[in-house]
Structure formats: C-alpha cells, structure tokens
Amino acid sequence: MMDFHVLIITGVMIVLDVVFGFAGAIKQKDVQSSKLRDGLWHKAGFVGLIGLAYVIQYAAAHAELGFEVPSVMAVCVYVIVTETVSVFENLCVLNPNLVDSPLGAIFRKASKVEAVELASAGLDVADDAPDTASGDAR
C-alpha cells in the first residue's frame, strides 16, 4: 500500500512550481495568460497520470497477477523530481545568485543526468523543459 504522504508532497511540489513560476513572471513583467494556461494543462496532465497509475495499480492488485505494481509511487517520484528542478529554476529567476551557488551546481548536474536518462529511455526532453526565462508557470 502506498504512503499517502507521497501524494501530498507531490501536490505541494506542483503548487510550489505554479506559485514560483507566476512570481518569476511577475518579476520579469512577463505575465501571459496563455503561458499560465499551458502550465496548468501541464499540471493537469501530471494529476491525470497519477490517477491513471492509481487505477493500474489498483487493478493489478485485484486482478491477482501475483505481484504488486508500484506505479503510483514511480509516477509521484518522477513528478516530484521534475517539479523540484522546475521550482529551483523558477527560484533562480527570482534570485539569480542561486544559479552560481553550490546548490545551482547540483541542479545543473542533476538536469544533465535526468536528460541523459530520459533520452536513453527514448523520451524527448526538449519539449518538456520549463521556460523560466519567460516566466512559465509550469
């Protein structure tokens, strides 16, 4: 059974990303409703993916497959990692000094590792990269 706290943490990370993305757009005087809408649709996709994973996990448990499918946890971990990187990028818009900080170095390295892992899995990461320079609230 999945720990409910993971869903809460996932939700908090999604909200933080929207809040700090919007704050960055305000700071840059680049608030655009179309970008906010796109970002919110992106978040809705994450929520839908979590819902789908829950249905798959629930069905697998009740179909007596002989094994458990930890799909909700895997999806939530992916969303948390993605949102953590995006929140940090949005915070860099608010405080550019973070880019060259030791934490910034860790995130730069983590982003490269994540991109390599996703590319090796056949996923294109170019379309999913947050556009923090223009205040994307994803």
Side-chain angles (χ1 to χ4, degrees), residues 55-68:
V55 169
I56 291 168
Q57 184 171 314
Y58 183 82
H62 289 79
E64 299 179 22
L65 297 175
F67 59 91
E68 222 177 285

Side-chain angles (χ1 to χ4, degrees), residues 61-99:
H62 289 79
E64 299 179 22
L65 297 175
F67 59 91
E68 222 177 285
V69 179
S71 57
V72 176
M73 181 65 76
V75 168
C76 285
V77 167
Y78 170 75
V79 172
I80 290 168
V81 169
T82 301
E83 296 295 357
T84 299
V85 172
S86 184
V87 166
F88 184 76
E89 290 171 344
N90 289 328
L91 290 172
C92 287
V93 170
L94 296 173
N95 181 356
N97 294 332
L98 293 174
V99 173

Side-chain angles (χ1 to χ4, degrees), residues 7 42-43 47 105 120:
L7 288 174
H42 185 82
K43 301 306 177 200
V47 172
S120 69

